[in-house]
Amino acid sequence: MSGNTITTPDRVTYTPSRAARELGLKRREFDLAVHLGRIRTVPDEGGGGRRVAPAEIDRLRAEDGFPQSLHESVRAVGTGEAAAIMEVTKERFTRLARLGLVVPVYFYLNRYRALVWLYLADEIRQFAADEKNAYLVKGRMPEGLREQLDTGLDLRPRNWRGRHLGFLLRQAEDPWQRAGALAALLDPVQIADIAKDPYERAHLNRFRPGPPNHGAPGSPTALLAERIMTAGDPDEIGWLRADLAQALDEAREHRPAPRPAPRQAPPAPRHDAHPSEPERTHRLLSWLRRRST
């Protein structure tokens, strides 16, 4: 067994890094392909994360247009390139994104600590090519949409969370993992209000994924990722709470949360009917001293 492959009598699987090399993808492209469901993974039987079976790599290689088609399906672009694909200004594209009409797939902080959203080039092309969207791409923005933008509406974080939740749920193997996926988008106060039992809450937190890897813990990038990961809109929080409550019911039926074994009561003190040997000796010596006086 090597660090790149695991071999069992009937199975060989590859690490994500090895699978990315086999498919000619950069690691971030590979991770995005997994998130989007383009590449199917399997759990590591040794508990070391997700892996890829050779049959999945063979399937992807056999697709028409490989490798270019796979590369293009996960090509992520920033606002400037997305606007160029759509043939609109960057300001126009940003407005469409804030309205939730195009959904980001990734985000990061640039060197100026500005938040940068990335979008799938394929989805941008499809949106621009759809005749139903022509008035949004070329025409005057409808007044109702302009009013929403004037109030500060920005659905990019929420839409990213929805997309990320879909990925987490696809990876979930059992009801506790599904509950953990929903809990990943709620802050601890909301979770504690739903999972009131401390043992159940601790078990749920074992399956609660953290934000995507964005910098060292406590860094500005990590704090931003945590903020974007956490639902903030009241209606979003409401449906997440309702779904989490239902998921917890299913998880309890599947397998109750573990609890510590009950403590056994200490043995009751013995009350012997006859005095112990030291007591008898003490009494005998006391009696002899009284006789000698």
Side-chain angles (χ1 to χ4, degrees):
M1 178 174 68
S2 71
N4 289 326
T5 62
I6 286 181
T7 305
T8 62
D10 59 348
R11 192 174 185 187
V12 176
T13 58
Y14 298 114
T15 64
S17 296
R18 170 67 184 276
R21 290 198 301 272
E22 294 285 335
L23 294 168
L25 296 173
K26 296 177 181 178
R27 180 56 193 269
R28 195 174 83 174
E29 292 174 329
F30 173 86
D31 291 341
L32 181 55
V34 172
H35 275 63
L36 296 171
R38 307 279 197 273
I39 299 175
R40 296 189 292 257
T41 60
V42 295
D44 182 354
E45 295 177 350
R50 309 289 297 187
R51 301 180 71 89
V52 181
E56 177 65 1
I57 293 174
D58 293 341
R59 180 187 71 82
L60 292 163
R61 284 175 170 168
E63 289 185 346
D64 291 340
F66 178 87
Q68 187 60 34
S69 59
L70 178 59
H71 278 272
E72 194 58 32
S73 73
V74 295
R75 186 163 76 91
V77 297
T79 298
E81 193 171 353
I85 292 172
M86 199 176 284
E87 298 182 357
V88 297
T89 64
K90 291 193 289 186
E91 291 75 16
R92 179 83 167 204
F93 178 82
T94 299
R95 288 184 174 187
L96 295 174
R98 286 176 54 194
L99 288 165
L101 299 173
V102 288
V103 181
V105 292
Y106 192 77
F107 63 87
Y108 67 93
L109 277 184
N110 64 15
R111 60 180 176 173
Y112 305 108
R113 293 192 175 180
L115 175 60
V116 177
W117 293 102
L118 298 180
Y119 307 84
L120 282 178
D122 255 358
E123 291 183 353
I124 302 303
R125 277 192 292 269
Q126 291 170 19
F127 182 90
D130 192 335
E131 292 183 0
K132 293 183 294 185
N133 298 325
Y135 75 102
L136 294 168
V137 176
K138 300 297 183 184
R140 178 176 173 80
M141 187 74 70
E143 183 178 352
L145 298 182
R146 292 202 306 272
E147 290 175 354
Q148 292 182 55
L149 291 169
D150 289 342
T151 65
L153 176 72
D154 189 350
L155 293 178
R156 287 173 294 182
R158 177 170 178 167
N159 282 345
W160 176 86
R161 283 192 293 272
R163 182 164 236 162
H164 188 64
L165 177 60
F167 160 69
L168 294 177
L169 290 173
R170 284 195 302 273
Q171 298 286 67
E173 299 286 337
D174 68 17
W176 279 106
Q177 290 183 12
R178 287 193 288 275
L182 291 161
L185 303 188
L186 290 169
D187 67 40
V189 174
Q190 301 287 347
I191 296 171
D193 191 44
I194 298 169
K196 299 182 184 297
D197 183 276
Y199 297 113
E200 187 173 83
R201 191 162 59 250
H203 191 58
L204 173 64
N205 284 333
R206 286 183 54 205
F207 300 98
R208 183 175 180 248
N213 185 20
H214 283 85
S219 67
T221 304
L223 294 174
L224 172 71
E226 185 176 347
R227 177 168 61 83
I228 291 178
M229 184 85 168
T230 306
D233 301 325
D235 61 329
E236 181 186 10
I237 293 172
W239 71 256
L240 281 170
R241 284 174 57 99
D243 283 1
L244 177 57
Q246 180 178 347
L248 273 176
D249 285 341
E250 295 171 358
R252 292 184 192 108
E253 293 180 7
H254 173 70
R255 184 182 64 250
R259 298 175 180 276
R263 291 183 178 181
Q264 293 184 347
R270 293 179 59 185
H271 298 287
D272 294 336
H274 303 288
S276 63
E277 187 64 32
E279 259 188 288
R280 289 198 299 269
T281 302
H282 177 73
R283 290 180 185 179
L284 178 59
L285 291 174
S286 298
W287 180 77
L288 290 173
R289 281 196 292 270
R290 288 197 300 271
R291 287 286 306 268
S292 61
T293 57

